[in-house]
Amino acid sequence: MARLTPPPPLSIGVDIGGTKVAAGVVDETGDILDRWQEPTPSRSPQAVEDAILRAVEQLRKRHRVVSVGIGAAGWVDNDQAVVRFSPHLAWRSEPLKARLTGRIDLPLIVDNDANAAAWAEYRFGAGRGSSVMVCITLGTGIGGGLVIGGRLFRGSYGMAGEWGHMISVPDGHWCECGNRGCWEQYASGNALVRDARALARTNSPTAYQLLELVGGDPDNITGPDVTAAAIQGEPTSVELLADVGTWLGRGIANLAAALDPEVVVIGGGVSAAGDLLLLPAQRAFSRTLTGRGFREEARLVLARFRNDAGLIGAADLARHAMIEPPESAQFGFWPRRKERRATKARRRRESLRTRSQSS
Ligand SMILES: [Zn+2]
């Protein structure tokens, strides 16, 4: 009897950011087999939906895909269906899953982009196999994800992991969320740019070199400029990144007091600075950690995936949703630990199908 090996289940992951819609076909080991990308069309929900559809259609022409996962910046409910609020897009209580289900005939889930990124790092990246993993995505703000005992912790209503908005400095800088002094106002790409521009405007000689690199206009300074200058050894940029790293380490010490993680994975665009960010963060973390000297310290590590984490994680979450629908999320944990039994049942079904096909 001929033995047919069923093809590996492929999923499409779509990462919707403020500037681009990036999609990819991802296999069960987290490898991206194919890609599709286009600029985020506009803030209109309809246009973004159309872009998602185009990406999925293009990739499905070339691959046999079984599910679709969408990672979006915003608060997504625990059924992985409704985007409650998205800061960069015009989604307000948007039933994204329901809208897309009518247009894409594949099982589909929607999740927060930072949750998806955390899941990718846990499954295939720097946090693989850890007991409690905290993921911190440093972009313009701070995104967060938490994996405990192999499960993504989403909170009672899907809102867990928003630690960028913990108050670090009472009455500090205003934050987009409406509060003052949030952690992400001190440890993020926006914080780096704000401080670099403020320093450049003082006309201090320490900023001359950085200013020269951007053509003399403080408003031209971007986060990647500061990182690139720091990597080249420009001292002021090194200091600015160290400041962000120090705030990062202090905040991680707060998270460690609450969660006692084994690993803290640091990803997102700002993590491109590598040790220039990580070493100051580690120093501040060790100096601030409560009970230091009498406890194990979490490892602070750089993420494996920088730009692809959201896409890979969304695809893998969608693959998991086939095994266990998100409606079964209990106490904010998802997926539950039932995969092994479900996988066995699926294998049995597949082998029966294979046998009937080959006989
Ligand atoms: Zn805030």
Side-chain angles (χ1 to χ4, degrees):
M1 194 172 68
R3 248 189 116 162
L4 298 175
T5 316
L10 303 178
S11 286
I12 291 176
V14 188
D15 186 7
I16 302 159
T19 56
K20 66 175 191 292
V21 174
V25 176
V26 181
D27 71 11
E28 57 188 345
T29 65
D31 284 339
I32 300 173
L33 308 182
D34 201 354
R35 290 173 186 271
W36 174 268
Q37 188 174 311
E38 65 175 274
T40 305
S42 69
R43 287 171 61 88
S44 138
Q46 181 64 46
V48 176
E49 248 179 70
D50 292 345
I52 295 170
L53 209 72
R54 274 195 297 279
V56 172
E57 273 172 1
Q58 289 303 320
L59 291 169
R60 279 184 80 182
K61 278 183 194 161
R62 308 199 281 258
H63 302 271
R64 202 177 146 266
V65 172
V66 296
S67 55
V68 177
I70 293 165
W75 292 342
V76 180
D77 73 339
N78 249 346
D79 289 337
Q80 294 174 303
V82 177
V83 183
R84 294 276 176 83
F85 171 84
S86 173
H88 311 298
L89 301 157
W91 285 330
R92 304 287 181 266
S93 295
E94 178 77 8
L96 188 61
K97 180 176 172 174
R99 283 189 192 283
L100 290 170
T101 301
R103 305 177 73 186
I104 299 171
D105 58 340
L106 284 174
L108 188 138
I109 61 120
V110 181
D111 211 322
N112 169 270
D113 58 347
N115 272 350
W119 186 247
E121 290 296 335
Y122 172 74
R123 290 272 294 147
F124 312 112
R128 205 169 171 166
S130 52
S131 54
V132 176
M133 185 202 81
V134 165
C135 189
I136 297 170
T137 308
L138 297 177
T140 51
I142 292 181
L146 177 61
V147 178
I148 302 175
R151 299 178 296 179
L152 190 61
F153 181 78
R154 316 186 78 261
S156 300
Y157 307 105
M159 309 295 160
E162 293 290 340
W163 33 72
H165 300 285
M166 298 188 306
I167 310 286
S168 291
V169 180
D171 302 324
H173 290 293
W174 281 105
C175 181
E176 282 168 27
C177 74
N179 282 333
R180 293 178 70 165
C182 294
W183 186 28
E184 72 172 35
Q185 292 304 316
Y186 299 86
S188 69
N190 274 358
L192 182 67
V193 171
R194 183 197 59 223
D195 288 353
R197 288 179 182 176
L199 178 65
R201 283 192 204 101
T202 63
N203 233 350
S204 160
T206 55
Y208 283 177
Q209 215 178 324
L210 179 60
L211 262 175
E212 218 176 277
L213 291 169
V214 296
D217 183 354
D219 288 338
N220 283 347
I221 298 174
T222 66
D225 288 334
V226 182
T227 302
I231 289 170
Q232 285 166 26
E234 196 281 303
T236 299
S237 301
V238 171
E239 281 174 18
L240 287 164
L241 268 170
D243 287 347
V244 170
T246 300
W247 278 111
L248 179 63
R250 287 176 188 154
I252 293 172
N254 284 342
L255 288 176
L259 301 168
D260 190 21
E262 180 185 341
V263 182
V264 178
V265 178
I266 300 162
V270 185
S271 69
D275 280 349
L276 291 164
L277 179 81
L278 190 64
L279 296 179
Q282 279 167 338
R283 268 197 298 277
F285 172 67
S286 296
R287 220 171 47 214
T288 325
L289 181 67
T290 186
R292 54 191 173 277
F294 299 96
R295 63 183 285 180
E296 284 81 11
E297 279 189 21
R299 283 186 294 120
L300 272 55
V301 296
L302 294 170
R304 174 179 170 197
F305 309 108
R306 201 166 302 143
N307 297 319
D308 293 331
L311 186 166
I312 295 169
D316 197 64
L317 284 170
R319 204 179 62 78
H320 268 263
M322 302 268 298
I323 301 164
E324 184 187 16
E327 286 75 24
S328 62
Q330 273 198 348
F331 312 118
F333 279 112
W334 185 85
R336 281 189 295 163
R337 279 192 175 280
K338 271 171 66 187
E339 191 192 354
R340 195 174 298 164
R341 217 188 308 157
T343 308
K344 263 189 204 161
R346 198 188 63 220
R347 287 221 185 96
R348 211 176 307 129
R349 278 199 304 276
E350 275 166 358
S351 87
L352 282 172
R353 207 180 311 137
T354 310
R355 233 177 288 164
S356 66
Q357 277 168 357
S358 54
S359 60

